[in-house]
Amino acid sequence: MKRREAITSILTLGAGALATGSGIFKAEAREVQTTYKFSTYTPLTYNFDGLKGLDKDMLEQHYALYRGYVNNTNKAQSIMAEMLAAGKADTTEFSEVRRRLGFEYAGMRLHEYYFGMLKPEGSPVDEKLKRAVSAFWGSWENWIADITRTAMMRGIGWAILYYDPVTKGLQNFWIDDHENGNPPGFEPIFVLDVWEHAYIKQFGAGGRRAYIDALLKNVDWSVIAKRLP
Amino acid sequence: MGLNTVYKARTWNLSDLNGISNRTLEIHFKLYEGYVTNTNLLNEKIAELIKDGNLDPTKTAAFSELKRRFGFEYNGMVLHEYYFDNLTKDGSGDPSKDSAFYKAAEASFGSYETWKADFINVGKMRGVGWAICYQDPVTGTLSNHWINMHETGNVAGYKPILVMDVWEHAFILDYVPADRPKYIEAFFSNINWEAVNSRLIATETAKA
């Protein structure tokens, strides 16, 4: 199955529908092409049953939440495409759908990185990855401690190891919600969800640390290593 | 409050609510205590940095980031207090028609039902935060607001009248995430309308 497919819609507009636009949309325009990439669910390559120390029901609910982000990303994009075609892009409603796109889109994509790095019982630590993080943190253990510390920060969001393509550096970032704090152009390498939905059902409100420890035992480090340029 | 203020975690005699389990209440009280602890901690650390009457220039970043966090911890503490205060195990569902809240909702929204539909739909909004019915202290008017996290969207000077937590911790042990509407329904059946009514302030407009 193709992961994504382009949806193209040709919509006929009445004269003057986009009259206030720039040169792209002229008053006499009768047709406008609105294209967006339709997102589909990324299927799991493993079974939740196999993840050690992590509750299957909780993981299934989490995956259902991920599907919600895919649906809502598509919904937001289709609403925008329809409104644009109908000449309603200069409205408050359109602006607020656009404002929300970052939340839904990042929510979708970060969950794909997250579920994509898990594997029943994990894998041995990749040597290339170990060298890369050791160059910045001194040792593998120091990086594990720092990403855990990042993930233990108060509030809900994500702890992410990012690669900076400009300095070729690595750094751990805290992301509020899904969309606040992602550095532009950086490559997400290790992506850890610490929203309450990721752990509270199994580990309780104070169980974030236990969740992180359990999750780290189910990481496919070769997938993480492949994300490094 | 000043830097020397030490907040004490409050307790509530709340259990056996309708549709909100004791286990949820238990973890929720604990989380609330975390906000009190961390509000106190921020104040302590700031007090330490500023104790000589000036800020060491090398500590500006530390000072700034601790201060920046006030909004999260303080609101996390205070909003939970409003939330627990507006719950009771003897809830009646909707307020009585001759109550101050019912009348204020009618005055502001045309009908109580419209106010309720508006509030519930705020509560269903995607993301993590709060649905809060605020009263404008000048006009007395009610309006429902979405608050992201704890600190984003609270209206300066407005009075919180009805406060509903829709963070995941508020319902995820009792309902699957998609069933937030069921939690909202449960929340309504446990509202302490007496407490809500007592928060309303009388203004010229509201009395009219």
Side-chain angles (χ1 to χ4, degrees):
Chain A
M1 182 172 65
K2 260 171 64 182
R3 194 156 168 279
R4 275 169 220 297
E5 57 188 357
I7 292 233
T8 304
S9 49
I10 309 285
L11 297 126
T12 306
L13 294 177
L18 291 166
T20 56
S22 63
I24 301 165
F25 301 115
K26 295 223 167 69
E28 62 274 20
R30 301 218 168 244
E31 278 190 341
V32 63
Q33 189 175 37
T34 53
T35 302
Y36 68 95
K37 297 283 188 182
F38 185 80
S39 298
T40 55
Y41 312 139
T42 303
L44 292 171
T45 54
Y46 53 88
N47 196 317
F48 282 141
D49 277 332
L51 297 186
K52 212 172 167 183
L54 291 167
D55 181 66
K56 192 187 167 202
D57 285 351
M58 183 177 72
L59 290 163
E60 275 169 1
Q61 281 181 16
H62 198 166
Y63 190 77
L65 279 170
Y66 154 65
R67 287 201 305 268
Y69 285 101
V70 179
N71 294 342
N72 280 281
T73 297
N74 288 330
K75 195 164 54 179
Q77 303 231 82
S78 76
I79 290 170
M80 286 165 65
E82 277 165 30
M83 289 183 82
L84 179 65
K88 290 177 181 162
D90 294 316
T91 60
T92 309
E93 291 84 349
F94 185 92
S95 300
E96 296 316 312
V97 174
R98 170 127 60 197
R99 200 186 303 281
R100 204 61 188 152
L101 193 59
F103 175 82
E104 301 292 357
Y105 225 118
M108 170 178 78
R109 190 51 38 82
L110 289 180
H111 279 105
E112 289 166 4
Y113 281 104
Y114 173 76
F115 286 119
M117 73 180 195
L118 299 180
K119 182 188 175 184
E121 303 194 27
S123 76
V125 179
D126 181 274
E127 286 305 317
K128 176 189 159 201
L129 177 68
K130 207 176 199 171
R131 277 196 302 279
V133 301
S134 297
F136 291 92
W137 279 270
S139 71
W140 173 256
E141 289 70 28
N142 286 352
W143 173 72
I144 289 282
D146 195 57
I147 192 75
T148 303
R149 187 180 295 128
T150 309
M152 287 301 292
M153 282 172 61
R154 286 179 59 75
I156 55 105
W158 300 77
I160 304 185
L161 170 67
Y162 266 112
Y163 173 78
D164 176 355
V166 176
T167 64
K168 304 191 184 346
L170 290 170
Q171 186 56 275
N172 294 326
F173 282 78
W174 170 260
I175 310 304
D176 252 327
D177 272 330
H178 304 304
E179 71 280 32
N180 301 318
N182 297 292
F186 282 37
E187 201 62 47
I189 308 295
F190 176 86
V191 176
L192 178 56
D193 191 343
V194 289
W195 276 56
E196 291 172 324
H197 62 240
Y199 63 90
I200 213 171
K201 197 171 157 35
Q202 181 185 356
F203 297 97
R208 195 188 285 189
R209 183 61 200 251
Y211 152 72
I212 296 166
D213 290 344
L215 192 109
L216 285 170
K217 295 192 176 85
N218 294 286
V219 174
D220 187 344
W221 297 107
S222 66
V223 169
I224 308 289
K226 276 185 207 127
R227 291 174 183 169
L228 278 175
Chain B
M1 291 294 166
L3 297 172
N4 294 327
T5 309
V6 177
Y7 291 93
K8 284 208 177 75
R10 293 176 48 201
T11 56
W12 286 266
N13 183 20
L14 271 184
S15 60
D16 305 322
L17 295 181
N18 181 24
I20 299 174
S21 69
N22 287 341
R23 166 118 173 84
T24 291
L25 286 170
E26 197 181 300
I27 67 143
H28 212 162
F29 291 140
K30 277 264 171 261
L31 281 167
Y32 155 70
E33 286 168 19
Y35 287 102
V36 179
T37 304
N38 280 278
T39 298
N40 288 333
L41 192 68
L42 287 178
N43 274 321
E44 257 174 55
K45 287 183 182 294
I46 291 277
E48 177 62 26
L49 288 172
I50 210 82
K51 68 170 187 291
D52 300 331
N54 54 51
L55 180 63
D56 176 346
T58 65
K59 301 281 169 60
T60 306
F63 177 91
S64 304
E65 298 317 311
L66 291 167
K67 243 340 167 189
R68 208 184 298 281
R69 211 60 192 151
F70 266 42
F72 180 81
E73 301 292 358
Y74 261 87
N75 278 294
M77 172 175 74
V78 170
L79 290 180
H80 278 109
E81 291 172 354
Y82 278 102
Y83 174 74
F84 294 129
D85 276 342
N86 62 215
L87 288 174
T88 174
K89 68 177 131 189
D90 307 312
S92 59
D94 294 318
S96 70
K97 290 188 174 167
D98 55 4
S99 67
F101 184 85
Y102 193 95
K103 286 175 184 161
E106 266 186 335
S108 303
F109 285 80
S111 73
Y112 169 77
E113 287 69 31
T114 305
W115 167 82
K116 187 176 178 179
D118 189 68
F119 187 85
I120 287 174
N121 281 288
V122 172
K124 289 185 198 166
M125 282 171 62
R126 288 175 60 72
V128 161
W130 300 77
I132 302 185
C133 176
Y134 269 112
Q135 186 186 27
D136 177 342
V138 176
T139 64
T141 309
L142 302 182
S143 49
N144 298 322
H145 296 257
W146 171 259
I147 310 304
N148 217 58
M149 301 278 187
H150 303 306
E151 70 276 34
T152 310
N154 293 297
V155 191
Y158 275 38
K159 288 235 352 156
I161 304 299
L162 178 66
V163 174
M164 178 169 71
D165 193 342
V166 290
W167 275 58
E168 291 173 325
H169 63 240
F171 61 90
I172 210 170
L173 296 181
D174 302 331
Y175 303 95
V176 299
D179 279 342
R180 197 197 289 186
K182 287 185 186 161
Y183 156 73
I184 295 174
E185 210 182 307
F187 170 84
F188 260 84
S189 70
N190 298 302
I191 292 176
N192 183 345
W193 288 109
E194 206 180 310
V196 172
N197 281 315
S198 72
R199 289 173 182 165
L200 285 167
I201 48 169
T203 64
E204 288 313 306
T205 317
K207 274 186 263 172

